[in-house]
Amino acid sequence: MATRSSRSAPTGPSAGLALGEEKLGGVDKVFEAVGFQARDRERPDQERPGQVISDAARLVDPTGANAVAGVYPDRDPHPGPGADGHEDLIATWGTLFSKGTAVRFGRTRDRRYIVLLRDLVVAGRARPSVVVTHHGTLADAPDLCRSSDRRQNGLIKAVLHPN
């Protein structure tokens, strides 16, 4: 039997949280765009494919969302010494599950165009540098994203550099 409450469904910052839970002051959404070639923070000469996914799981607030656009191929095309290229990606699924976060994946059509684009760059027929119109730091990212979204300031592509 269904009953109707006179109270309306919660909206705003507490929507989706269990009764009595407060929204944390952290990250609502995480966008992972690094992929399997992430460098290990402790050993930068080595890759650590699961590092960014683990960071995303740790940083996102309960009921937040993770978007994964970084490339995670079925097989590592250039495995490190002693690796066969078939390593499984280790992700902190328990953390994501217990926080009730949404995880979405997406990929571009890079496989369709990458060889063609590489060949055009090597032949000198394409110059990717003309697409990069702005440079900035991570602190500049919000303003650069706003400019990109609004098609302002002539921004086509921005490159962010570490502080």
Side-chain angles (χ1 to χ4, degrees):
M1 177 168 107
T3 59
R4 175 174 273 174
S5 170
S6 60
R7 294 186 337 198
S8 61
T11 59
S14 297
L17 296 175
L19 187 60
E21 283 188 12
E22 294 294 321
K23 180 140 183 74
L24 297 178
V27 180
D28 289 325
K29 311 239 180 321
V30 176
F31 182 80
E32 187 284 308
V34 177
F36 78 103
Q37 293 176 314
R39 294 290 173 180
D40 190 311
R41 279 187 288 276
E42 318 254 319
R43 295 176 304 249
D45 59 321
Q46 296 181 16
E47 289 178 355
R48 188 170 159 208
Q51 178 174 264
V52 181
I53 296 287
S54 295
D55 289 346
R58 180 176 48 82
L59 294 170
V60 71
D61 276 349
T63 71
N66 287 286
V68 181
V71 177
Y72 291 92
D74 298 334
R75 176 182 166 85
D76 187 344
H78 306 288
D84 66 3
H86 288 289
E87 291 80 18
D88 291 327
L89 176 65
I90 306 296
T92 51
W93 294 111
T95 302
L96 293 165
F97 184 82
S98 68
K99 288 184 171 186
T101 61
V103 180
R104 304 237 184 228
F105 299 91
R107 87 170 274 145
T108 63
R109 299 285 180 219
D110 58 296
R111 289 182 183 178
R112 177 184 294 174
Y113 302 111
I114 196 72
V115 172
L116 171 65
L117 292 172
R118 180 208 56 207
D119 292 347
L120 289 171
V121 170
V122 169
R125 293 181 54 206
R127 292 186 341 226
S129 60
V130 300
V131 178
V132 176
T133 58
H134 291 69
H135 292 263
T137 65
L138 192 54
D140 299 323
D143 290 333
L144 290 169
C145 285
R146 262 190 297 282
S147 289
S148 178
D149 286 345
R150 295 176 182 158
R151 310 297 190 265
Q152 295 174 330
N153 305 319
L155 195 148
I156 298 173
K157 186 71 155 177
V159 174
L160 300 178
H161 302 278
N163 294 340

